[in-house]
Each structure stands twice: as structure tokens, then as C-alpha cells.
Amino acid sequence: MGKTRKKIADSIIETYRKYRLAYIFITPAVCCLILLHLLPLLQGIWMSLLQMDQFTISEYLGAPFVGLKNYYDILFNPASPVRLGFLSAVRNTILYAAIVTFGTLGIGMVVAQMLNRQFKGRNILRGLFLFPWIVPTFVVGMLWGFMWQKETGIINIILYDILQIHTWLGWLGVTAEKPFWLMGDPKTLAAIIIPTIWRGWPHPMLMLLAGLQGIPHDYYEAADIDGANGWSKFWYITFPLLKPVWAILLLFGLIFNVYAFNIVYMMFGNGAGFPGEWGDLLMTNIFRNSFQRWDFGSGAALSFILMVVMMIVLNFWYKFYKGVEEG
């Protein structure tokens, strides 16, 4: 036993001497990681086990310990106010993240293909297409909140006063009365998805355009000789060679959109309004429970559950990405 310990100690010392310089450079980053990520994470997990509300917030981490009660209330207790709206927020977040992620990727791919061609004014268009991306998300939420207003919003003015869609879409049940877009019904989900796609598509467009410009033209010239059409060239050349870019964009999109907050927060009365059944996302749900109901224990439990789910999703993504690299 003693010889084994000495052997392990010698191995550690030898490894340290061999990679001493690397460890010296890594140490500051590890310290920052512990201070800025690990300690707050442990604190959040501990808070999720406490009854930390408006009456016990002054005790902070010394608030009454309730064990897994916050998790039970969220997941299984139908009488809990925390659970109210939780399942709707989960459904909306899944739909929102999937539609926005694939919507931005699709639009980004189409525009990147267009900008990858040679034509006059291409550089100007590149700059103009970046405009939505440089607008802060808080501003996007506020502006689109005004645009979705029933009587004064530009959306209803264009659809009903100018295009009069009720006259040619009446067979779909579209009436002449202008709709409320932000009342919490299914239209509300569309009202928060559209601005997010509008704001987010330039980023995948830039990444995909960079990927397209790295594909040798020889492949397309060989495909032209073989008589391949545009779709065949995209499906058998462009798409496979862009798989690593797609994988990274998919990861960024899912993380960013699952944790989306600013646009919804600003769209509903600068955070003071309630987004309703179809407008609530997990982050706005967590914010409301934590900072409007003053139930920080439940908010921390919700955050930890979301983090665990995202770790599972990332694990699936990593397997997918590993397959892409090996393929």
C-alpha cells in the first residue's frame, strides 16, 4: 500500500515537472473559473434547498432549510404557485428555441448563398444585413412591442389597413377586426418568435458565408461537368462541407434561445406585464418567481433544473458533433 502511494506521488511530481510551464499559465484561468462559476453555482444549488422568500431573505444563506421541497413544488405539486405556468413555459421554450434556431439557420443559409455570388453592391448589402444584429435585444423587444399594438401598431396597419388581408384570407377565419397580438394566446408565441429571428439571423449568415468561401470552387466545377443541378451541388457538396459550421451554430442557437429573456421581458410592458400562457418562457418564469414573487429558493431550483436539462442536451450535441468530426 505504501509503495503504491509513493508510486502515485512520484507520478504526480513527475507530471508536474514535465508540464510545469503549462500549469503556471493555466492556474489563473482555473482560479477565475472557480471564483466566477463554481462558487456561484454551489451557492445557487444551496439556495434551491432553502426557503428564501421576502420574510427570510435577510438571513440569506442561513434561511430555513427545506431540502427538496422547492423541487417537489415545481415538478409535482399542482397547488404550488411556482408550478403555475411552469409547463406552459417549458412548452413555449421548446417551440421558441427550435423555431428560432432553425429559422435563423435557414434564413442565414439562403442569404449567405446569395452573398457568396459576385454582383455589384455585394459589400454594401453585407453591411446592411448586419443591421438587425447590432440592435440591442432590449431595444428590439421595446420596438416590436409597439409594432404589435392593436390600433397603432405598424403590423396591423400594414396587414389590415393597407393589404386588407381579411378580404382574401377570410376563408381561413381571418376577420376584419384587428387582433391583439400580446394577449397570451398562441399568436403571442409568433409575436415573440418573429422579432427574435429578425434580430438573430445575421450571425449564422456571417458564419455560413465564411464557411462557403472556404469551399474550393473545383468541387462545383467538377459537379458542373457532371451535369449536377443547383440542388445536387448544395446537397452533396455545400451541406456536407458545412456540417462543422452547422453543428457550432446549432449549439450556439439552442443555448442562446433557451436562455432568451430580453426581448420577451421588454415586449410585455418593460417587464411589468404578464406574458400570458403562450408568451412565457422559462427565463421570464424564473425571473417572475425570483424577483416579483420574492421566492428566490424556487427560482434557484428552477435554474438548477434548467441547467441539468441543458447539460443533457449538450451531451447529445457533443455526440452529434463527434460524429460530424469522424465523418
Side-chain angles (χ1 to χ4, degrees):
M1 190 70 179
K3 288 183 179 178
T4 305
R5 287 182 178 175
K6 187 175 184 305
K7 193 175 179 180
I8 295 173
D10 290 343
S11 175
I12 293 173
I13 293 171
E14 184 180 352
T15 304
Y16 172 74
R17 286 174 179 169
K18 186 177 180 181
Y19 302 106
R20 181 189 304 168
L21 186 61
Y23 289 138
I24 290 173
F25 281 112
I26 289 173
T27 300
V30 173
C31 293
C32 289
L33 188 68
I34 293 173
L35 287 173
L36 300 177
H37 292 274
L38 185 60
L39 293 180
L41 174 64
L42 295 176
Q43 177 180 283
I45 294 173
W46 177 249
M47 287 173 62
S48 71
L49 305 175
L50 304 177
Q51 183 186 342
M52 187 181 291
D53 52 29
Q54 56 185 329
F55 303 107
T56 60
I57 184 64
S58 59
E59 302 177 40
Y60 195 43
L61 298 181
F65 181 80
V66 294
L68 299 177
K69 181 179 181 301
N70 290 326
Y71 293 95
Y72 173 79
D73 287 342
I74 294 168
L75 297 174
F76 305 110
N77 186 2
S80 170
V82 182
R83 188 177 167 79
L84 181 65
F86 172 68
L87 295 180
S88 299
V90 171
R91 176 200 60 199
N92 297 342
T93 303
I94 293 172
L95 292 173
Y96 174 86
I99 296 173
V100 171
T101 300
F102 289 103
T104 52
L105 288 178
I107 296 174
M109 186 70 239
V110 171
V111 179
Q113 287 272 34
M114 183 184 73
L115 292 179
N116 196 38
R117 300 171 184 272
Q118 294 292 336
F119 60 91
K120 280 188 176 180
R122 186 177 68 161
N123 293 332
I124 296 174
L125 279 180
R126 282 182 182 175
L128 289 176
F129 284 155
L130 288 178
F131 176 74
W133 196 36
I134 62 176
V135 179
T137 50
F138 277 98
V139 178
V140 172
M142 186 177 291
L143 288 177
W144 280 82
F146 289 125
M147 291 167 66
W148 288 121
Q149 293 300 310
K150 181 183 178 183
E151 298 296 339
T152 58
I154 190 68
I155 304 292
N156 277 347
I157 291 176
I158 292 175
L159 293 178
Y160 286 86
D161 295 343
I162 298 176
L163 298 178
Q164 297 187 345
I165 60 168
H166 54 282
T167 59
W168 45 280
L169 287 181
W171 58 279
L172 287 176
V174 178
T175 63
E177 185 180 358
K178 295 177 181 177
F180 288 102
W181 290 94
L182 303 177
M183 289 294 288
D185 57 4
K187 291 192 298 294
T188 305
L189 187 58
I192 63 176
I193 285 175
I194 292 172
T196 314
I197 292 178
W198 176 82
R199 199 260 176 190
W201 69 265
H203 176 244
M205 181 270 291
L206 271 181
M207 300 280 286
L208 291 166
L209 180 60
L212 285 171
Q213 292 178 344
I215 299 176
H217 287 285
D218 298 349
Y219 296 162
Y220 296 107
E221 291 173 1
D224 288 333
I225 293 173
D226 291 338
N229 57 26
W231 171 252
S232 298
K233 285 189 282 188
F234 172 79
W235 187 249
Y236 293 106
I237 299 175
T238 305
F239 185 75
L241 293 178
L242 287 180
K243 272 186 178 178
V245 183
W246 285 105
I248 296 296
L249 289 174
L250 184 65
L251 175 68
F252 285 0
L254 286 176
I255 293 176
F256 182 80
N257 293 316
V258 166
Y259 292 125
F261 175 76
N262 293 348
I263 290 178
V264 180
Y265 176 77
M266 294 305 294
M267 195 175 287
F268 293 90
N270 300 342
F274 181 65
E277 180 184 351
W278 285 89
D280 200 16
L281 301 180
L282 277 172
M283 292 310 296
T284 52
N285 186 285
I286 291 172
F287 175 82
R288 191 169 58 255
N289 279 295
S290 298
F291 297 100
Q292 292 182 351
R293 291 186 60 252
W294 286 72
D295 192 349
F296 296 98
S298 297
L302 276 166
S303 301
F304 184 68
I305 292 171
L306 180 59
M307 187 191 73
V308 171
V309 171
M310 288 306 296
M311 289 175 67
I312 296 171
V313 171
L314 288 180
N315 185 49
F316 281 111
W317 174 88
Y318 180 73
K319 290 181 179 177
F320 166 72
Y321 185 71
K322 196 174 179 182
V324 169
E325 279 190 321
E326 292 174 351

